[in-house]
Every structure is written in C-alpha cells, then in structure tokens.
Amino acid sequence: LIFFCGHAGTGKTTLAKRLIGPLMARTGESFCLLDKDTLYGGYSAAVMGALTGDPNDRDSPTYLQHLRDPEYAGLMATARENLALGVNVMVVGPLSREVKAHRLTDPAWLQVGDDVTVRVVWVHLPEAEARRRIAARGNPNDAWKLAHWDDYRTRLFLPSAAEYPELTLFDNAAPAGQADALLDSLL
C-alpha cells in the first residue's frame, strides 16, 4: 500500500503514474492506482452542484464538512478490497489531515493486516510553483483555491522529516533522477 499525498498542484498523480509501471516491472507484481479525483470527481460534482450550485467546488467549508471524509472512507475501502485480493495499491490524494495525525501507517486506522507494507510519499513543491501549476492546468475544481488563496494556503504545510519519520518526502522540483531514487526507496 503506497500513498502519494500532498497539496494540490504538486504532481502526486503524475508521479504515481510515472512510477507504477517501473514498480510492476521490478517487483513482478500487480498494482492498482486509486486516485481520489478519478474515483469521486463525478459524484462530488453532482453533490456539490445540488448543495451549492457549484459542481466544481472541492475546497469550500461545505465540501470539507459533507464530502471529504466520505470520499476518503470510500477510497480506503476500495484499497482494502484490492489488498485482500492480493493486489498492491497506490492511493493518490491530499490526505493532509491523515498525514498530520500519523494515521497512514497505523494498521488499526487503515484496517489492514500486519502483513501489509505501507509506504507514504509526501509530494511537495514551493507554494508559488504549486499555485502556478494549479492556474496553468485550468481545472475548474481549482477555482475556489485560486479565488480564496489566502484562506486555502492556511491549510498548506510541509511535514518535517523529524516530526514525520514515516514519510518519504519528495521534492517534485528536484532533478528528474530523484524519481529513480524514490522508486528504489519504495522497493
């Protein structure tokens, strides 16, 4: 079970997609990629459209209160089903609350057996670069973040290696060869 966590625009999904093929090749095992936005994007759009009139809202207090936790619960239930079937899982999502609470390496919270190896990668970029990437990708789901950046940025944090030893910190602005070193560490 490998988590790719971090704030919006840091490249979590791109990095996970880049590494899944090499991971399968080097381990000879199957992996399933579970991206929160892929699994729940359409559902959340319908619900937020009904609740607020804005189907692209993924950051307002209404979203955070009503949809965030159920999305993550479904994401983790899907991950557990795959693990039970013997399929390795890569989970992509911000998961910042869970990281802050050190939950992603807690087998009891994850509801996985002790036989499941868990790795957590925190993908980060300097704030200005993440904001530039968010603006450049033009995803309507990011409109609230960009319009309320001063509020959104209060949720941004960079875990320290000392306080979060369970994390592999990955600077996505680092030279391309760093991804190879990350792959080695995940193995």
Side-chain angles (χ1 to χ4, degrees), residues 35-49 54-58 63 67 71 139 141:
D35 183 300
K36 183 184 83 68
D37 292 338
T38 302
L39 288 171
Y40 292 102
Y43 170 80
S44 295
V47 172
M48 290 309 292
D54 181 0
N56 299 310
D57 177 357
R58 297 297 183 281
Y63 169 83
L67 287 181
E71 283 183 358
N139 184 331
N141 293 343

Side-chain angles (χ1 to χ4, degrees), residues 77 83 149 161:
L83 291 167
W149 191 262

